[in-house]
Amino acid sequence: MKLILTADVDNLGAPGDLVEVKDGYGRNFLLPRGLAIPATRGAQKQVEGIRRAQDARKVRDLDHANELKQAIEGLTGVSLAVKTADSGKLFGSVTTADVASAIKAAGGPVVDKRSIELPKSHIKATGKHGIAVHLHPDVVAKFDLEVAAN
């Protein structure tokens, strides 16, 4: 059975890889868990689009990570407007995807939301918050995010 992986599978491949597996493994494990899709011409085109998007977000090497760090730490006025109650508490919380979009809106580079580390794993109040972005195992960019009431 030919499948295209949609997630990283140990000892099999990375997302976007075309793999040949036994019918039972594909039908009973990979497909139900959403780890793969059947290999068709349309699916292959979709995978190429996914790969291009991943390459755009991917940090290539240490020098590239340092460039991104300089760009992120050089940003001023990274802010996020959110709905709040009268007391200043947020309705919901600020997520890593919200932070990634705030970086891009402030003129910064596109950052993968999985590389962003929030203080206490979530932000539930207005004010300045320190955010860390893990660009490379050796490179961490830090900046302040201003969460303001909308």
PDB file of all heavy atoms in Angstrom, residues 36-67:
ATOM      1  N   ALA A  36      -1.141   9.356   7.878  1.00  0.00           N
ATOM      2  CA  ALA A  36      -0.875   9.211   6.452  1.00  0.00           C
ATOM      3  C   ALA A  36      -2.175   9.369   5.680  1.00  0.00           C
ATOM      4  O   ALA A  36      -3.265   9.260   6.235  1.00  0.00           O
ATOM      5  CB  ALA A  36      -0.257   7.843   6.161  1.00  0.00           C
ATOM      6  N   ILE A  37      -2.022   9.637   4.370  1.00  0.00           N
ATOM      7  CA  ILE A  37      -3.155   9.689   3.454  1.00  0.00           C
ATOM      8  C   ILE A  37      -2.816   8.800   2.260  1.00  0.00           C
ATOM      9  O   ILE A  37      -1.647   8.578   1.959  1.00  0.00           O
ATOM     10  CB  ILE A  37      -3.461  11.133   2.992  1.00  0.00           C
ATOM     11  CG1 ILE A  37      -2.223  11.784   2.366  1.00  0.00           C
ATOM     12  CG2 ILE A  37      -3.989  11.971   4.140  1.00  0.00           C
ATOM     13  CD1 ILE A  37      -2.483  13.160   1.759  1.00  0.00           C
ATOM     14  N   PRO A  38      -3.831   8.266   1.584  1.00  0.00           N
ATOM     15  CA  PRO A  38      -3.542   7.432   0.400  1.00  0.00           C
ATOM     16  C   PRO A  38      -2.822   8.237  -0.671  1.00  0.00           C
ATOM     17  O   PRO A  38      -3.090   9.424  -0.867  1.00  0.00           O
ATOM     18  CB  PRO A  38      -4.930   7.007  -0.086  1.00  0.00           C
ATOM     19  CG  PRO A  38      -5.825   7.165   1.092  1.00  0.00           C
ATOM     20  CD  PRO A  38      -5.256   8.290   1.895  1.00  0.00           C
ATOM     21  N   ALA A  39      -1.893   7.581  -1.361  1.00  0.00           N
ATOM     22  CA  ALA A  39      -1.086   8.251  -2.384  1.00  0.00           C
ATOM     23  C   ALA A  39      -1.884   8.357  -3.674  1.00  0.00           C
ATOM     24  O   ALA A  39      -2.153   7.358  -4.343  1.00  0.00           O
ATOM     25  CB  ALA A  39       0.206   7.495  -2.615  1.00  0.00           C
ATOM     26  N   THR A  40      -2.308   9.582  -4.010  1.00  0.00           N
ATOM     27  CA  THR A  40      -2.964   9.868  -5.283  1.00  0.00           C
ATOM     28  C   THR A  40      -2.248  11.061  -5.912  1.00  0.00           C
ATOM     29  O   THR A  40      -1.431  11.708  -5.271  1.00  0.00           O
ATOM     30  CB  THR A  40      -4.453  10.214  -5.075  1.00  0.00           C
ATOM     31  OG1 THR A  40      -4.542  11.384  -4.271  1.00  0.00           O
ATOM     32  CG2 THR A  40      -5.202   9.068  -4.402  1.00  0.00           C
ATOM     33  N   ARG A  41      -2.585  11.365  -7.179  1.00  0.00           N
ATOM     34  CA  ARG A  41      -1.940  12.501  -7.829  1.00  0.00           C
ATOM     35  C   ARG A  41      -2.297  13.813  -7.136  1.00  0.00           C
ATOM     36  O   ARG A  41      -1.455  14.672  -6.940  1.00  0.00           O
ATOM     37  CB  ARG A  41      -2.323  12.554  -9.300  1.00  0.00           C
ATOM     38  CG  ARG A  41      -1.383  11.728 -10.150  1.00  0.00           C
ATOM     39  CD  ARG A  41      -1.695  11.919 -11.625  1.00  0.00           C
ATOM     40  NE  ARG A  41      -2.346  10.691 -12.064  1.00  0.00           N
ATOM     41  CZ  ARG A  41      -3.440  10.609 -12.791  1.00  0.00           C
ATOM     42  NH1 ARG A  41      -4.031  11.690 -13.212  1.00  0.00           N
ATOM     43  NH2 ARG A  41      -3.953   9.457 -13.129  1.00  0.00           N
ATOM     44  N   GLY A  42      -3.548  13.970  -6.750  1.00  0.00           N
ATOM     45  CA  GLY A  42      -3.976  15.185  -6.059  1.00  0.00           C
ATOM     46  C   GLY A  42      -3.307  15.328  -4.708  1.00  0.00           C
ATOM     47  O   GLY A  42      -2.920  16.430  -4.303  1.00  0.00           O
ATOM     48  N   ALA A  43      -3.171  14.231  -3.983  1.00  0.00           N
ATOM     49  CA  ALA A  43      -2.526  14.268  -2.672  1.00  0.00           C
ATOM     50  C   ALA A  43      -1.050  14.617  -2.817  1.00  0.00           C
ATOM     51  O   ALA A  43      -0.495  15.328  -1.977  1.00  0.00           O
ATOM     52  CB  ALA A  43      -2.684  12.927  -1.964  1.00  0.00           C
ATOM     53  N   GLN A  44      -0.415  14.148  -3.869  1.00  0.00           N
ATOM     54  CA  GLN A  44       1.000  14.456  -4.092  1.00  0.00           C
ATOM     55  C   GLN A  44       1.194  15.952  -4.319  1.00  0.00           C
ATOM     56  O   GLN A  44       2.129  16.547  -3.797  1.00  0.00           O
ATOM     57  CB  GLN A  44       1.526  13.657  -5.290  1.00  0.00           C
ATOM     58  CG  GLN A  44       3.020  13.703  -5.438  1.00  0.00           C
ATOM     59  CD  GLN A  44       3.735  13.008  -4.288  1.00  0.00           C
ATOM     60  OE1 GLN A  44       3.247  12.052  -3.714  1.00  0.00           O
ATOM     61  NE2 GLN A  44       4.897  13.520  -3.939  1.00  0.00           N
ATOM     62  N   LYS A  45       0.292  16.601  -5.057  1.00  0.00           N
ATOM     63  CA  LYS A  45       0.379  18.043  -5.274  1.00  0.00           C
ATOM     64  C   LYS A  45       0.178  18.794  -3.960  1.00  0.00           C
ATOM     65  O   LYS A  45       0.842  19.787  -3.695  1.00  0.00           O
ATOM     66  CB  LYS A  45      -0.665  18.494  -6.289  1.00  0.00           C
ATOM     67  CG  LYS A  45      -0.352  18.076  -7.695  1.00  0.00           C
ATOM     68  CD  LYS A  45      -1.412  18.556  -8.659  1.00  0.00           C
ATOM     69  CE  LYS A  45      -1.124  18.075 -10.067  1.00  0.00           C
ATOM     70  NZ  LYS A  45      -2.167  18.483 -11.000  1.00  0.00           N
ATOM     71  N   GLN A  46      -0.752  18.297  -3.143  1.00  0.00           N
ATOM     72  CA  GLN A  46      -1.019  18.930  -1.848  1.00  0.00           C
ATOM     73  C   GLN A  46       0.212  18.831  -0.950  1.00  0.00           C
ATOM     74  O   GLN A  46       0.562  19.779  -0.257  1.00  0.00           O
ATOM     75  CB  GLN A  46      -2.213  18.246  -1.190  1.00  0.00           C
ATOM     76  CG  GLN A  46      -2.626  18.844   0.117  1.00  0.00           C
ATOM     77  CD  GLN A  46      -3.812  18.110   0.722  1.00  0.00           C
ATOM     78  OE1 GLN A  46      -4.271  17.102   0.212  1.00  0.00           O
ATOM     79  NE2 GLN A  46      -4.290  18.607   1.835  1.00  0.00           N
ATOM     80  N   VAL A  47       0.888  17.707  -0.978  1.00  0.00           N
ATOM     81  CA  VAL A  47       2.084  17.502  -0.162  1.00  0.00           C
ATOM     82  C   VAL A  47       3.196  18.443  -0.595  1.00  0.00           C
ATOM     83  O   VAL A  47       3.930  18.970   0.238  1.00  0.00           O
ATOM     84  CB  VAL A  47       2.533  16.024  -0.236  1.00  0.00           C
ATOM     85  CG1 VAL A  47       3.928  15.843   0.308  1.00  0.00           C
ATOM     86  CG2 VAL A  47       1.561  15.159   0.509  1.00  0.00           C
ATOM     87  N   GLU A  48       3.330  18.684  -1.885  1.00  0.00           N
ATOM     88  CA  GLU A  48       4.346  19.619  -2.365  1.00  0.00           C
ATOM     89  C   GLU A  48       4.087  21.017  -1.815  1.00  0.00           C
ATOM     90  O   GLU A  48       5.022  21.722  -1.426  1.00  0.00           O
ATOM     91  CB  GLU A  48       4.371  19.624  -3.887  1.00  0.00           C
ATOM     92  CG  GLU A  48       4.927  18.356  -4.487  1.00  0.00           C
ATOM     93  CD  GLU A  48       4.759  18.283  -5.991  1.00  0.00           C
ATOM     94  OE1 GLU A  48       4.385  19.301  -6.613  1.00  0.00           O
ATOM     95  OE2 GLU A  48       4.983  17.201  -6.548  1.00  0.00           O
ATOM     96  N   GLY A  49       2.837  21.418  -1.736  1.00  0.00           N
ATOM     97  CA  GLY A  49       2.488  22.709  -1.149  1.00  0.00           C
ATOM     98  C   GLY A  49       2.815  22.763   0.333  1.00  0.00           C
ATOM     99  O   GLY A  49       3.328  23.772   0.843  1.00  0.00           O
ATOM    100  N   ILE A  50       2.549  21.680   1.038  1.00  0.00           N
ATOM    101  CA  ILE A  50       2.863  21.600   2.472  1.00  0.00           C
ATOM    102  C   ILE A  50       4.367  21.678   2.679  1.00  0.00           C
ATOM    103  O   ILE A  50       4.848  22.372   3.578  1.00  0.00           O
ATOM    104  CB  ILE A  50       2.288  20.300   3.076  1.00  0.00           C
ATOM    105  CG1 ILE A  50       0.767  20.364   3.098  1.00  0.00           C
ATOM    106  CG2 ILE A  50       2.833  20.056   4.477  1.00  0.00           C
ATOM    107  CD1 ILE A  50       0.096  19.043   3.441  1.00  0.00           C
ATOM    108  N   ARG A  51       5.135  20.997   1.843  1.00  0.00           N
ATOM    109  CA  ARG A  51       6.599  21.024   1.956  1.00  0.00           C
ATOM    110  C   ARG A  51       7.153  22.427   1.746  1.00  0.00           C
ATOM    111  O   ARG A  51       8.052  22.867   2.458  1.00  0.00           O
ATOM    112  CB  ARG A  51       7.230  20.083   0.939  1.00  0.00           C
ATOM    113  CG  ARG A  51       7.401  18.711   1.455  1.00  0.00           C
ATOM    114  CD  ARG A  51       8.616  18.047   0.825  1.00  0.00           C
ATOM    115  NE  ARG A  51       8.673  16.690   1.321  1.00  0.00           N
ATOM    116  CZ  ARG A  51       8.749  15.626   0.563  1.00  0.00           C
ATOM    117  NH1 ARG A  51       8.790  15.755  -0.738  1.00  0.00           N
ATOM    118  NH2 ARG A  51       8.792  14.436   1.098  1.00  0.00           N
ATOM    119  N   ARG A  52       6.622  23.150   0.748  1.00  0.00           N
ATOM    120  CA  ARG A  52       7.078  24.514   0.499  1.00  0.00           C
ATOM    121  C   ARG A  52       6.799  25.397   1.712  1.00  0.00           C
ATOM    122  O   ARG A  52       7.638  26.216   2.088  1.00  0.00           O
ATOM    123  CB  ARG A  52       6.411  25.087  -0.749  1.00  0.00           C
ATOM    124  CG  ARG A  52       7.038  24.626  -2.042  1.00  0.00           C
ATOM    125  CD  ARG A  52       6.565  25.476  -3.208  1.00  0.00           C
ATOM    126  NE  ARG A  52       5.124  25.370  -3.414  1.00  0.00           N
ATOM    127  CZ  ARG A  52       4.539  24.481  -4.201  1.00  0.00           C
ATOM    128  NH1 ARG A  52       5.274  23.642  -4.890  1.00  0.00           N
ATOM    129  NH2 ARG A  52       3.235  24.447  -4.333  1.00  0.00           N
ATOM    130  N   ALA A  53       5.641  25.229   2.323  1.00  0.00           N
ATOM    131  CA  ALA A  53       5.292  26.025   3.507  1.00  0.00           C
ATOM    132  C   ALA A  53       6.216  25.686   4.677  1.00  0.00           C
ATOM    133  O   ALA A  53       6.641  26.577   5.418  1.00  0.00           O
ATOM    134  CB  ALA A  53       3.839  25.784   3.896  1.00  0.00           C
ATOM    135  N   GLN A  54       6.551  24.412   4.849  1.00  0.00           N
ATOM    136  CA  GLN A  54       7.453  24.006   5.926  1.00  0.00           C
ATOM    137  C   GLN A  54       8.852  24.556   5.695  1.00  0.00           C
ATOM    138  O   GLN A  54       9.515  24.985   6.637  1.00  0.00           O
ATOM    139  CB  GLN A  54       7.515  22.484   6.041  1.00  0.00           C
ATOM    140  CG  GLN A  54       6.296  21.881   6.669  1.00  0.00           C
ATOM    141  CD  GLN A  54       6.367  20.358   6.694  1.00  0.00           C
ATOM    142  OE1 GLN A  54       7.138  19.742   5.967  1.00  0.00           O
ATOM    143  NE2 GLN A  54       5.549  19.762   7.534  1.00  0.00           N
ATOM    144  N   ASP A  55       9.319  24.553   4.458  1.00  0.00           N
ATOM    145  CA  ASP A  55      10.652  25.077   4.159  1.00  0.00           C
ATOM    146  C   ASP A  55      10.734  26.569   4.432  1.00  0.00           C
ATOM    147  O   ASP A  55      11.778  27.076   4.853  1.00  0.00           O
ATOM    148  CB  ASP A  55      11.033  24.794   2.701  1.00  0.00           C
ATOM    149  CG  ASP A  55      11.317  23.324   2.457  1.00  0.00           C
ATOM    150  OD1 ASP A  55      11.563  22.600   3.454  1.00  0.00           O
ATOM    151  OD2 ASP A  55      11.292  22.902   1.284  1.00  0.00           O
ATOM    152  N   ALA A  56       9.645  27.296   4.226  1.00  0.00           N
ATOM    153  CA  ALA A  56       9.646  28.736   4.483  1.00  0.00           C
ATOM    154  C   ALA A  56       9.754  29.022   5.977  1.00  0.00           C
ATOM    155  O   ALA A  56      10.364  30.004   6.387  1.00  0.00           O
ATOM    156  CB  ALA A  56       8.374  29.364   3.923  1.00  0.00           C
ATOM    157  N   ARG A  57       9.170  28.153   6.813  1.00  0.00           N
ATOM    158  CA  ARG A  57       9.198  28.351   8.265  1.00  0.00           C
ATOM    159  C   ARG A  57      10.454  27.787   8.907  1.00  0.00           C
ATOM    160  O   ARG A  57      10.803  28.165  10.024  1.00  0.00           O
ATOM    161  CB  ARG A  57       7.993  27.655   8.907  1.00  0.00           C
ATOM    162  CG  ARG A  57       6.697  28.347   8.688  1.00  0.00           C
ATOM    163  CD  ARG A  57       5.656  27.786   9.608  1.00  0.00           C
ATOM    164  NE  ARG A  57       5.584  26.342   9.564  1.00  0.00           N
ATOM    165  CZ  ARG A  57       4.626  25.644   8.987  1.00  0.00           C
ATOM    166  NH1 ARG A  57       3.653  26.252   8.384  1.00  0.00           N
ATOM    167  NH2 ARG A  57       4.634  24.329   9.016  1.00  0.00           N
ATOM    168  N   LYS A  58      11.134  26.894   8.228  1.00  0.00           N
ATOM    169  CA  LYS A  58      12.244  26.156   8.812  1.00  0.00           C
ATOM    170  C   LYS A  58      13.499  27.023   8.969  1.00  0.00           C
ATOM    171  O   LYS A  58      13.838  27.801   8.083  1.00  0.00           O
ATOM    172  CB  LYS A  58      12.558  24.975   7.892  1.00  0.00           C
ATOM    173  CG  LYS A  58      13.499  23.966   8.442  1.00  0.00           C
ATOM    174  CD  LYS A  58      13.554  22.821   7.458  1.00  0.00           C
ATOM    175  CE  LYS A  58      14.610  21.841   7.783  1.00  0.00           C
ATOM    176  NZ  LYS A  58      14.671  20.778   6.790  1.00  0.00           N
ATOM    177  N   VAL A  59      14.159  26.871  10.107  1.00  0.00           N
ATOM    178  CA  VAL A  59      15.426  27.559  10.338  1.00  0.00           C
ATOM    179  C   VAL A  59      16.521  26.686   9.737  1.00  0.00           C
ATOM    180  O   VAL A  59      16.665  25.515  10.094  1.00  0.00           O
ATOM    181  CB  VAL A  59      15.654  27.775  11.850  1.00  0.00           C
ATOM    182  CG1 VAL A  59      17.004  28.405  12.101  1.00  0.00           C
ATOM    183  CG2 VAL A  59      14.547  28.638  12.427  1.00  0.00           C
ATOM    184  N   ARG A  60      17.290  27.258   8.804  1.00  0.00           N
ATOM    185  CA  ARG A  60      18.236  26.449   8.038  1.00  0.00           C
ATOM    186  C   ARG A  60      19.495  26.069   8.812  1.00  0.00           C
ATOM    187  O   ARG A  60      19.913  24.927   8.783  1.00  0.00           O
ATOM    188  CB  ARG A  60      18.599  27.178   6.759  1.00  0.00           C
ATOM    189  CG  ARG A  60      17.443  27.261   5.783  1.00  0.00           C
ATOM    190  CD  ARG A  60      17.845  27.925   4.490  1.00  0.00           C
ATOM    191  NE  ARG A  60      17.986  29.361   4.595  1.00  0.00           N
ATOM    192  CZ  ARG A  60      16.985  30.231   4.590  1.00  0.00           C
ATOM    193  NH1 ARG A  60      15.749  29.801   4.516  1.00  0.00           N
ATOM    194  NH2 ARG A  60      17.203  31.517   4.674  1.00  0.00           N
ATOM    195  N   ASP A  61      20.136  27.021   9.508  1.00  0.00           N
ATOM    196  CA  ASP A  61      21.364  26.712  10.227  1.00  0.00           C
ATOM    197  C   ASP A  61      21.579  27.747  11.328  1.00  0.00           C
ATOM    198  O   ASP A  61      20.727  28.596  11.576  1.00  0.00           O
ATOM    199  CB  ASP A  61      22.556  26.656   9.268  1.00  0.00           C
ATOM    200  CG  ASP A  61      22.747  27.949   8.478  1.00  0.00           C
ATOM    201  OD1 ASP A  61      22.034  28.931   8.752  1.00  0.00           O
ATOM    202  OD2 ASP A  61      23.613  27.971   7.600  1.00  0.00           O
ATOM    203  N   LEU A  62      22.701  27.674  11.998  1.00  0.00           N
ATOM    204  CA  LEU A  62      22.993  28.558  13.126  1.00  0.00           C
ATOM    205  C   LEU A  62      23.054  30.024  12.695  1.00  0.00           C
ATOM    206  O   LEU A  62      22.534  30.896  13.392  1.00  0.00           O
ATOM    207  CB  LEU A  62      24.307  28.143  13.796  1.00  0.00           C
ATOM    208  CG  LEU A  62      24.687  28.871  15.066  1.00  0.00           C
ATOM    209  CD1 LEU A  62      23.621  28.676  16.135  1.00  0.00           C
ATOM    210  CD2 LEU A  62      26.019  28.387  15.584  1.00  0.00           C
ATOM    211  N   ASP A  63      23.650  30.305  11.538  1.00  0.00           N
ATOM    212  CA  ASP A  63      23.733  31.686  11.059  1.00  0.00           C
ATOM    213  C   ASP A  63      22.343  32.259  10.773  1.00  0.00           C
ATOM    214  O   ASP A  63      22.043  33.400  11.105  1.00  0.00           O
ATOM    215  CB  ASP A  63      24.600  31.776   9.799  1.00  0.00           C
ATOM    216  CG  ASP A  63      26.063  31.480  10.086  1.00  0.00           C
ATOM    217  OD1 ASP A  63      26.483  31.687  11.249  1.00  0.00           O
ATOM    218  OD2 ASP A  63      26.769  31.038   9.168  1.00  0.00           O
ATOM    219  N   HIS A  64      21.503  31.435  10.155  1.00  0.00           N
ATOM    220  CA  HIS A  64      20.132  31.873   9.874  1.00  0.00           C
ATOM    221  C   HIS A  64      19.374  32.108  11.176  1.00  0.00           C
ATOM    222  O   HIS A  64      18.613  33.075  11.291  1.00  0.00           O
ATOM    223  CB  HIS A  64      19.429  30.831   9.004  1.00  0.00           C
ATOM    224  CG  HIS A  64      18.065  31.234   8.567  1.00  0.00           C
ATOM    225  ND1 HIS A  64      16.965  30.461   8.805  1.00  0.00           N
ATOM    226  CD2 HIS A  64      17.622  32.339   7.914  1.00  0.00           C
ATOM    227  CE1 HIS A  64      15.889  31.069   8.323  1.00  0.00           C
ATOM    228  NE2 HIS A  64      16.265  32.210   7.773  1.00  0.00           N
ATOM    229  N   ALA A  65      19.583  31.251  12.165  1.00  0.00           N
ATOM    230  CA  ALA A  65      18.933  31.420  13.466  1.00  0.00           C
ATOM    231  C   ALA A  65      19.381  32.718  14.130  1.00  0.00           C
ATOM    232  O   ALA A  65      18.565  33.428  14.729  1.00  0.00           O
ATOM    233  CB  ALA A  65      19.239  30.231  14.368  1.00  0.00           C
ATOM    234  N   ASN A  66      20.661  33.051  14.032  1.00  0.00           N
ATOM    235  CA  ASN A  66      21.155  34.303  14.606  1.00  0.00           C
ATOM    236  C   ASN A  66      20.568  35.528  13.892  1.00  0.00           C
ATOM    237  O   ASN A  66      20.271  36.535  14.528  1.00  0.00           O
ATOM    238  CB  ASN A  66      22.683  34.349  14.577  1.00  0.00           C
ATOM    239  CG  ASN A  66      23.289  33.484  15.655  1.00  0.00           C
ATOM    240  OD1 ASN A  66      22.749  33.381  16.747  1.00  0.00           O
ATOM    241  ND2 ASN A  66      24.406  32.841  15.344  1.00  0.00           N
ATOM    242  N   GLU A  67      20.388  35.428  12.570  1.00  0.00           N
ATOM    243  CA  GLU A  67      19.753  36.521  11.825  1.00  0.00           C
ATOM    244  C   GLU A  67      18.320  36.719  12.299  1.00  0.00           C
ATOM    245  O   GLU A  67      17.873  37.854  12.501  1.00  0.00           O
ATOM    246  CB  GLU A  67      19.763  36.217  10.329  1.00  0.00           C
ATOM    247  CG  GLU A  67      21.112  36.307   9.674  1.00  0.00           C
ATOM    248  CD  GLU A  67      21.060  35.873   8.218  1.00  0.00           C
ATOM    249  OE1 GLU A  67      19.952  35.833   7.632  1.00  0.00           O
ATOM    250  OE2 GLU A  67      22.132  35.561   7.671  1.00  0.00           O
TER     251      GLU A  67
END
